[in-house]
Amino acid sequence: MITRILATVITETNIARRNQWVLIAVLLMVLFSLVLSAAGSAPTGALGADRLSVIVASLTSLSVYLVPLVALLMSFDAVAGEVERGTLPLLLTYPVARWEVLAGKLLAHTAILVIAIVAGYGAAAVIAIAADPASVSGLGALWRLTWSSVLLGATFLGIGYALSSLARRSSGAAGLAIGLWLALVVLYDLGLLAAVVADNGGTFTTRVFPSALLANPADAFRLFNLTASQSASVAAGIGSAAASIPLWQSLCSILLWPIASLGVAALAFRSVEP
C-alpha cells in the first residue's frame, strides 16, 4: 500500500515540477509575504504590537485569498486531466485502489504547499526579526498561522479533487474552481456584510452570523488565527469581532473541513468511469 501511494506521490511531484507549480507557488508566497512585510510593519509603534505580530495579521489576510487559490489551481485537473489524457483507465488497471491514488495526489500537492508556505512565511519572519529582535515573541503566532494554512490548503485541495471528478474535463473543472474560489473567498463575505447591515443588529447578526462564519473554511481560518493571537487581533483592527466567537469553535471548523472535503472528493472520484 505505502509503495503504491509513494509511486503516485513521485508521479504527481514530477508532473508539478514540469508544470512549474513548485516554482510558481514558492514565488507567489515569497513575493507577497515580502511585500506585506514591508507594508505591514509601519504601524507597529502605534498599535503596541511587535513587528512580526503585525506581519502575521497581514499574512492571515493574504493566506485567506492566496492559499485556496494555489490549492485549487494545482488540483482542478487532478482527475479531469487524467481522463482527458486517457491515463486514468490505464492507471486503474494496476492493482491500486482509488483512495490510494487520491492519497498520493494529496501528499504530493500538500508537500508543494508546505514548501511554498514555509518559504514565504520564513522570509517574512527573517526580515522581521532582523529589523526588530523583539519580534521573536511573535513566532508562536507565525507557527500557528503556518499549520493552519496547510489545513486550509488541504481543504481546498479536496474541493478541487471533487470538482475535477465531477467535471471530468479540465476546462469545466477550471471554471468551477475559479467560480467556487470567488464564491467562498470573496462573495461570501460581501453577502454576509450586506446581510448584517440590513439586519441592523437583529437575529441574523447575533445568532446566524457567527455560524455562517464558521461554515466557511476561509472565514474559520481567519477567525482562528486572529482569536488565538491577541497581538494579531489588535494589529488587524478587529479584535472584538474575532473574540465574539470562541476559539475552540473556529479550531474545530478548520480541523473538520479538510476531512469533509477529502471525503467528498473520495466519493466523487469513485463515481468516475475509467
Side-chain angles (χ1 to χ4, degrees):
M1 178 186 68
I2 296 178
T3 302
R4 294 190 293 268
I5 293 176
L6 288 178
T8 304
V9 170
I10 294 172
T11 301
E12 289 297 321
T13 303
N14 290 333
I15 292 173
R17 189 175 66 251
R18 287 199 300 269
N19 293 337
Q20 302 297 321
W21 274 120
V22 178
L23 180 62
I24 291 172
V26 171
L27 287 179
L28 281 175
M29 291 301 299
V30 171
L31 176 62
F32 281 98
S33 295
L34 292 178
V35 170
L36 289 179
S37 297
S41 59
T44 53
L47 292 173
D50 64 271
R51 186 185 185 100
L52 186 55
S53 294
V54 175
I55 292 174
V56 166
S58 299
L59 290 176
T60 299
S61 298
L62 166 72
S63 302
V64 167
Y65 293 96
L66 192 55
V67 171
L69 180 60
V70 172
L72 287 172
L73 290 178
M74 284 196 298
S75 60
F76 79 88
D77 69 340
V79 178
E82 299 269 14
V83 173
E84 285 191 339
R85 293 189 296 268
T87 56
L88 183 62
L90 177 62
L91 176 63
L92 295 180
T93 59
Y94 292 101
V96 55
R98 294 195 179 208
W99 73 267
E100 293 173 340
V101 174
L102 206 60
K105 292 177 180 289
L106 175 66
L107 289 175
H109 293 151
T110 302
I112 296 171
L113 276 177
V114 169
I115 293 172
I117 289 170
V118 170
Y121 296 172
V126 168
I127 291 178
I129 294 174
D132 178 16
S135 293
V136 294
S137 60
L139 287 177
L142 185 66
W143 164 243
R144 184 165 46 245
L145 176 64
T146 300
W147 63 258
S148 59
S149 295
V150 175
L151 290 178
L152 179 66
T155 296
F156 280 86
L157 285 175
I159 293 173
Y161 298 149
L163 295 178
S164 187
S165 300
L166 294 174
R168 304 186 186 184
R169 292 291 182 274
S170 294
S171 57
L176 289 175
I178 296 300
L180 187 72
W181 178 81
L182 287 172
L184 289 181
V185 178
V186 180
L187 300 180
Y188 189 91
D189 286 347
L190 292 177
L192 288 182
L193 179 60
V196 168
V197 172
D199 185 58
N200 194 25
T203 303
F204 178 86
T205 303
T206 57
R207 297 188 178 182
V208 179
F209 180 65
S211 299
L213 287 177
L214 295 174
N216 186 332
D219 284 330
F221 163 83
R222 177 161 37 200
L223 285 171
F224 171 73
N225 282 283
L226 294 178
T227 305
S229 176
Q230 184 62 36
S231 297
S233 299
V234 173
I238 57 172
S240 59
S244 64
I245 298 177
L247 178 64
W248 69 268
Q249 292 184 3
S250 55
L251 175 60
C252 287
S253 180
I254 65 172
L255 291 176
L256 292 175
W257 261 110
I259 299 173
S261 67
L262 292 170
V264 172
L267 290 175
F269 189 35
R270 286 179 59 184
S271 66
V272 176
E273 296 294 334

